[in-house]
Amino acid sequence: MFPLNNGNLKIAVQKKGRLTEKSIELLNLCGLGIDNYTDRLYISATSFPADILFLRDDDIPEYVQDGVADLGIVGENVITEKPVTIDLKEKLGFGKCRIMIAYPDSVQIDDVSGLAGKKIATTYPSILGKFLSKNDIEARIIEISGSVEIAPALGIADVICDIVSTGNTLKLNKLKRGFTVFESEAALIASPALRDNPVKEQLVSDLLKRIKSVITARKSKYLMMNVPKASLQEVIGMIPASKSPTILPLFDESTVAVHAVVPSGYIWEVLDPLKNAGATGILVLPIENMIP
Ligand code: PRP
Ligand code: ZN
């Protein structure tokens, strides 16, 4: 039997790029068990009936639409550029990036109207085309399939329109950021063909539950600290209302330990007030899963 024809859930992930490592990390936090995947075209998870397919990100939406893959992890930029029939299950909170206009120092563009009459190289002709017509701008779109950043240096375009994440690629190619055309993050997409396969649908709903718990956990931290009993009420007043903190006695009877789940950025806002209220031994720990 062909090894992929085994009833396992097929999950398509970007073969090599911005999303690869974080996609695998998410699936592993969901308990799938994916090891030694470098340079593999597919690999079976050890702890979940799933096979991971490593594909070019631009091909993933179509594979998912056609049911070759049951699920895919791909940027919203890719799904939006090539309209396909898929179910968008969940935005994943990583792989955040922008499709931006960028140009060499020799070009000066102050606002969108400065694009009029320009030649713009991009791998996103559809997203760019909609942006231009929404802003009533006539420009020439030069569609190319990769290495867009080199187009101005080659003289085939004045400006480019491409993904910017860290900005390193722009810097390497001596281009500066212009304005944002589209904002994107990684998303989990599902094949419409799953609706006819209750066994796989059950696996998807199990996996989705795990993914949601990982995403929720990432937005929170576990805060632990020691607080003098005398200022306990004051400190509790600083903890977001919906979270009921745990209070534990300590050997030193004048002090208690306070534990609470708090939003990720919270601690930096209240660090000084907490210290002023006498809190000591403040620890902020990551949470791996949060089950509702
Ligand atoms: C994008 C884009 C750039 C890079 C920018 O590639 O094409 O090469 O990311 O990232 P940076 O600002 O962090 O340098 P992507 O991974 O989306 O896939 P692609 O190679 O298919 O375009
Ligand atoms: Zn791509």
Side-chain angles (χ1 to χ4, degrees):
M1 184 174 76
F2 183 62
L4 286 180
N5 198 7
N6 53 9
N8 281 357
L9 209 56
K10 306 284 178 282
I11 309 175
V13 163
Q14 186 183 25
K15 186 170 150 53
K16 209 170 201 169
R18 286 180 308 114
L19 303 182
T20 311
E21 212 173 297
K22 287 190 172 150
S23 304
I24 298 296
E25 181 190 79
L26 173 68
L27 295 174
N28 274 335
L29 282 171
C30 294
L32 266 65
I34 305 156
D35 296 319
N36 300 326
Y37 60 89
T38 318
D39 295 333
R40 299 286 300 261
L41 294 179
Y42 78 90
I43 190 168
S44 297
T46 54
S47 312
F48 195 88
D51 297 325
I52 313 304
L53 315 182
F54 294 96
L55 303 169
R56 279 191 59 217
D57 65 341
D58 310 64
D59 295 334
I60 290 177
E62 261 166 310
Y63 278 128
V64 170
Q65 167 180 263
D66 300 345
V68 177
D70 303 303
L71 292 176
I73 297 181
V74 75
E76 292 171 290
N77 52 314
V78 175
I79 322 166
T80 310
E81 177 61 26
K82 243 194 234 169
V84 278
T85 312
I86 44 100
D87 296 327
L88 178 64
K89 288 287 183 192
E90 190 75 24
K91 291 194 186 188
L92 299 175
F94 65 88
K96 290 193 178 162
C97 63
R98 292 164 171 204
I99 296 182
M100 293 186 87
I101 300 289
Y103 36 81
D105 278 333
S106 55
V107 175
Q108 181 60 44
I109 297 177
D110 295 324
D111 59 14
V112 185
S113 64
L115 288 176
K118 293 274 189 288
K119 284 190 278 182
I120 313 172
T122 190
T123 51
Y124 297 95
S126 161
I127 290 175
L128 175 61
K130 282 186 196 132
F131 174 83
L132 292 174
S133 47
K134 199 178 81 197
N135 287 287
D136 231 354
I137 305 284
E138 294 232 10
R140 224 177 104 202
I141 298 177
I142 315 279
E143 182 178 353
I144 44 186
S145 56
S147 305
V148 177
E149 295 84 2
I150 203 171
L154 294 178
I156 54 176
D158 307 300
V159 307
I160 66 160
C161 172
D162 197 18
I163 293 281
V164 180
S165 164
T166 60
N168 286 339
T169 311
L170 288 190
K171 220 182 270 170
L172 277 173
N173 292 283
K174 300 197 168 53
L175 299 170
K176 58 185 180 196
R177 288 169 204 247
F179 34 84
T180 301
V181 169
F182 185 83
E183 296 198 30
S184 171
E185 68 180 85
L188 181 78
I189 58 174
S191 177
L194 280 171
R195 294 176 206 151
D196 307 321
N197 190 331
V199 178
K200 280 193 169 178
E201 257 202 321
Q202 186 53 46
L203 288 175
V204 170
S205 101
D206 180 11
L207 181 61
L208 199 58
K209 242 184 266 162
R210 299 186 192 193
I211 288 177
K212 284 182 177 164
S213 106
V214 172
I215 294 176
T216 318
R218 280 181 174 164
K219 292 181 186 155
S220 305
K221 298 278 183 213
Y222 197 73
L223 169 66
M224 294 163 64
M225 60 194 163
N226 293 342
V227 176
K229 270 188 185 159
S231 48
L232 186 57
Q233 282 311 323
E234 188 190 344
V235 165
I236 286 180
M238 296 177 202
I239 294 175
S242 59
K243 323 282 174 194
S244 177
T246 305
I247 313 291
L248 300 165
L250 291 177
F251 183 70
D252 168 4
E253 288 182 354
S254 67
T255 307
V256 287
V258 177
H259 294 189
V261 175
V262 296
S264 281
Y266 159 84
I267 187 67
W268 306 113
E269 292 166 30
V270 290
L271 194 56
D272 286 336
L274 284 178
K275 281 185 171 169
N276 292 340
T280 55
I282 301 173
L283 289 179
V284 182
L285 308 177
I287 302 172
E288 215 165 81
N289 280 283
M290 246 167 93
I291 303 51

